[in-house]
């Protein structure tokens, strides 16, 4: 079971800038817990995501060599991928591919066709620099723009990504519209067709529906969950009222109830929960 903690997603939409020292302190605490991966920052334009303009500076101060966790950085173009690829500390480059044309343009200023070409280029950068690409299928469960959506289209996109050499794909519910039924359908059908693919979920949810979504993914065989402590965050490019991430503690609660051993350091996790209240502005 892989648990991916996403402080980058928790922070990116906040208007109030979190000081670099605070980011470093928080992420260093997360590195003590034992998560498989920390989605810690992004190499994108500061104009697009001003909150993460200090990602390189944060990275220089992370105690990643003491941790079993790997670091993931989000990129939106080949320039960002090239920049991120020069850091030994980074294992994964993440790229958001939307099946909504509107959102792809809003999120990365590209058409879907251009984004697929970018993925091909980023994949080559990853091979050259010994990194791994994680592709997120944004708006993977529907979109608010009226763009065409069909579950079979998701399968077509996964097939294209598979031919491009992508080995890790996360189904992203960017606005929280997924249901247990379509989570179960997509995960089951895709994992059957592509059994060698590492398939995960990056779900956004209200607290009320979080457990049923986690259960649907887990029962369908998911072994890769993205979350953010206390459910902070969402996508600032999607809409104004952010739907939060799955709370990591809710994911862990469900797994513990089903006797799934995560191997995480409970004491270090408890400390991170307390620290999150200091790091994130009160709403």
């Amino acid at each position: 079971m892989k648990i991916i903690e996403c402080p980058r997603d928790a922070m990116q939409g906040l208007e109030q800038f979190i000081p670099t020292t605070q980011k470093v302190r928080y992420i260093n605490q997360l590195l003590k817990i034992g998560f498989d991966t920390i989605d810690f920052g992004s190499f994108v334009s500061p104009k697009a995501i001003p909150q993460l303009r200090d990602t390189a500076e944060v990275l220089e101060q992370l105690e990643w060599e003491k941790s079993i966790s790997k670091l993931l950085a989000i990129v939106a173009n080949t320039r960002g991928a090239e920049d991120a690829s020069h850091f030994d500390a980074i294992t994964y480059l993440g790229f958001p591919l939307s099946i909504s044309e509107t959102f792809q343009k809003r999120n990365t200023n590209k058409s879907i066709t251009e984004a697929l070409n970018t993925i091909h280029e980023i994949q080559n950068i990853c091979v050259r620099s010994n990194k791994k690409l994680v592709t997120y299928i944004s708006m993977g469960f529907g979109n608010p723009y009226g763009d065409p959506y069909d579950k079979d289209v998701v399968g077509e996109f996964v097939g294209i990504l598979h031919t491009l050499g992508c080995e890790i794909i996360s189904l992203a519910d960017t606005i929280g519209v997924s249901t247990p039924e379509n989570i179960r359908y997509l995960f089951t059908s895709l994992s059957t067709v592509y059994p060698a693919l590492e398939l995960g979920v990056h779900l956004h949810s209200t607290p009320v529906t979080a457990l049923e979504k986690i259960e649907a993914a887990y029962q369908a065989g998911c072994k890769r969950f993205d979350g953010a402590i206390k459910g902070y965050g969402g996508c600032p490019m999607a809409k104004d009222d952010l739907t939060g991430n799955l709370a990591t503690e809710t994911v862990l609660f469900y797994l513990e109830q089903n006797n799934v051993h995560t191997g995480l350091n409970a004491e270090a996790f408890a400390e991170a929960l307390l620290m999150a209240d200091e790091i994130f502005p009160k709403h």
Side-chain angles (χ1 to χ4, degrees):
M1 182 63 65
K2 293 185 177 181
I3 308 296
I4 288 76
E5 177 62 27
C6 303
R8 183 270 317 168
D9 204 1
M11 295 177 182
Q12 67 179 6
L14 299 175
E15 292 183 8
Q16 179 179 327
F17 185 73
I18 299 173
T20 302
T21 54
Q22 291 286 76
K23 291 189 179 93
V24 170
R25 177 170 165 256
Y26 184 57
I27 298 171
N28 274 333
Q29 180 62 34
L30 297 177
L31 285 166
K32 298 176 183 178
I33 296 170
F35 294 114
D36 179 84
T37 303
I38 308 289
D39 176 356
F40 82 99
S42 62
F43 286 80
V44 299
S45 168
K47 294 181 180 179
I49 309 290
Q51 180 64 248
L52 301 177
R53 62 182 184 264
D54 58 350
T55 288
E57 187 179 350
V58 168
L59 182 58
E60 291 174 355
Q61 301 175 65
L62 295 183
E63 299 173 350
W64 60 277
E65 291 177 303
K66 300 179 182 179
S67 175
I68 64 171
S69 300
K70 297 170 284 293
L71 294 176
L72 180 150
I74 295 294
V75 300
N77 51 41
T78 52
R79 179 179 176 180
E82 287 284 7
D83 291 344
S85 71
H86 295 306
F87 292 91
D88 292 338
I90 295 175
T91 299
Y92 298 109
L93 304 185
F95 182 86
L97 172 69
S98 178
I99 60 174
S100 158
E101 191 78 56
T102 301
F103 185 64
Q104 189 68 61
K105 290 178 180 176
R106 289 185 62 168
N107 199 32
T108 64
N109 198 31
K110 291 176 173 54
S111 68
I112 291 174
T113 299
E114 290 170 332
L116 287 169
N117 290 333
T118 298
I119 287 174
H120 178 66
E121 294 167 354
I122 294 174
Q123 177 70 358
N124 289 336
I125 292 170
C126 286
V127 171
R128 189 173 70 241
S129 59
N130 197 30
K131 310 296 184 190
K132 294 182 180 179
L133 175 61
V134 178
T135 308
Y136 298 87
I137 297 189
S138 303
M139 298 290 172
F141 298 88
N143 66 81
Y145 311 114
D147 289 346
Y149 173 81
D150 186 280
K151 291 189 286 290
D152 292 336
V153 173
V154 180
E156 292 174 9
F157 272 72
V158 171
I160 294 170
L161 293 173
H162 187 258
T163 62
L164 292 175
C166 298
E167 298 177 346
I168 307 173
I169 297 175
S170 191
L171 303 177
D173 180 11
T174 319
I175 53 171
V177 297
S178 62
T179 65
E181 290 74 24
N182 61 10
I183 291 170
R184 193 175 292 110
Y185 173 86
L186 281 176
F187 203 94
T188 301
S189 59
L190 292 173
S191 58
T192 299
V193 176
Y194 305 100
L197 191 68
E198 183 174 328
L199 191 64
V201 291
H202 180 103
L203 302 176
H204 291 181
S205 177
T206 62
V208 175
T209 59
L211 271 175
E212 63 185 28
K213 293 183 180 186
I214 296 166
E215 180 177 59
Y218 176 74
Q219 290 182 348
C222 183
K223 292 183 172 59
R224 180 188 175 95
F225 285 88
D226 285 20
I229 283 177
K230 298 201 171 182
Y232 288 123
C235 183
M237 300 300 183
K239 55 179 185 176
D240 293 330
D241 51 330
L242 301 182
T243 301
N245 285 290
L246 284 183
T248 306
E249 58 271 26
T250 305
V251 176
L252 297 181
F253 171 79
Y254 178 83
L255 294 176
E256 289 166 5
Q257 293 297 304
N258 285 272
N259 299 313
V260 178
H261 179 64
T262 62
L264 301 185
N265 183 317
E267 184 176 334
F269 184 73
E271 181 65 28
L273 283 171
L274 293 174
M275 195 179 292
D277 288 332
E278 303 172 22
I279 300 295
F280 293 92
K282 300 296 186 291
H283 296 287

